[in-house]
Amino acid sequence: MARPDKAAAVAELTEQFRSSNAAVLTEYRGLTVAQLKTLRRSLGENAQYAVVKNTLTKIAANEAGITTLDDLFNGPTAVAFVTGDPVESAKGLRDFAKDNPNLVIKGGVLDGKALSADEIKKLADLESREVLLAKLAGAMKGKQTQAAQLFQALPSKLVRTVDALRAKVDEQGGAE
């Protein structure tokens, strides 16, 4: 029979898996409390980093419909639940792991798709959502400007051609 405190912990973890865009599993062996506090701050506002019990977290992930993480629940495990931009949190984890080799990224899940540790590092190399949207908007604006110039060039070229023909006709008419 499950104890009420364990059932509550599983329910809370299940809800965190369901409400998160992404979850990243890490091994934190050898990190101090101060380093964990620094790590939590580096993940950004939209991520929660929690040290978890493997058995309870595995049950919660399965209840949330995530079965691809089962192999990662071994050793001391902590989970970063990301509710905002996953790129920002992945960058925070990557940068912290560079300075603190005791932090090992095991893998994770993004929108229901399993990610390996290498894929999370690739995600960290992406620019943030806002930067990508700004670049897209800039590219679209540039294409609109080119299209406007093209559409404006056609009538003006037609007018210049008609003026040249009129001048030629006037020239030939005046020469006779």
Side-chain angles (χ1 to χ4, degrees), residues 11-27:
E12 182 181 340
L13 287 168
T14 302
E15 181 54 34
Q16 284 183 313
F17 274 113
R18 286 184 179 147
S19 64
S20 299
N21 299 350
V24 180
L25 275 66
T26 63
E27 183 176 319

Side-chain angles (χ1 to χ4, degrees), residues 102-117:
N102 287 335
L103 180 74
V104 177
I105 298 172
K106 295 180 176 183
V109 63
L110 174 64
D111 294 327
K113 181 186 175 289
L115 297 176
S116 68

Side-chain angles (χ1 to χ4, degrees), residues 3-4 20 23 34 41 59 69-71 116 122 130 137 142 166 171:
R3 294 194 336 226
S20 299
R41 272 190 254 123
I59 292 168
L69 300 176
D70 288 353
D71 297 338
S116 68
K122 286 180 187 174
E130 289 78 19
R166 186 176 306 137
E171 232 179 68

Side-chain angles (χ1 to χ4, degrees), residues 60 68 87 105 120 161:
T68 56
V87 173
I105 298 172
I120 292 171
T161 304

Side-chain angles (χ1 to χ4, degrees), residues 4 16-17 27 33 46-47 61 63-64 66 94 96 99 113 119 142 148-149 161 174 176:
Q16 284 183 313
F17 274 113
E27 183 176 319
V33 173
N46 299 322
E63 285 183 10
I66 302 168
R94 178 200 59 196
F96 187 85
D99 297 334
K113 181 186 175 289
E119 289 173 321
Q149 290 171 348
T161 304
E176 291 179 22

Side-chain angles (χ1 to χ4, degrees), residues 58-140:
K58 186 175 180 179
I59 292 168
N62 288 331
E63 285 183 10
I66 302 168
T67 58
T68 56
L69 300 176
D70 288 353
D71 297 338
L72 302 178
F73 291 113
N74 49 32
T77 303
V79 182
F81 293 103
V82 183
T83 55
D85 185 10
V87 173
E88 179 184 357
S89 298
K91 284 181 190 220
L93 284 168
R94 178 200 59 196
D95 295 344
F96 187 85
K98 281 181 186 175
D99 297 334
N100 301 283
N102 287 335
L103 180 74
V104 177
I105 298 172
K106 295 180 176 183
V109 63
L110 174 64
D111 294 327
K113 181 186 175 289
L115 297 176
S116 68
D118 289 335
E119 289 173 321
I120 292 171
K121 289 174 185 168
K122 286 180 187 174
L123 180 67
D125 292 337
L126 290 176
E127 294 174 332
S128 70
R129 183 176 191 272
E130 289 78 19
V131 171
L132 291 174
L133 288 174
K135 284 185 175 183
L136 178 64
M140 291 174 76

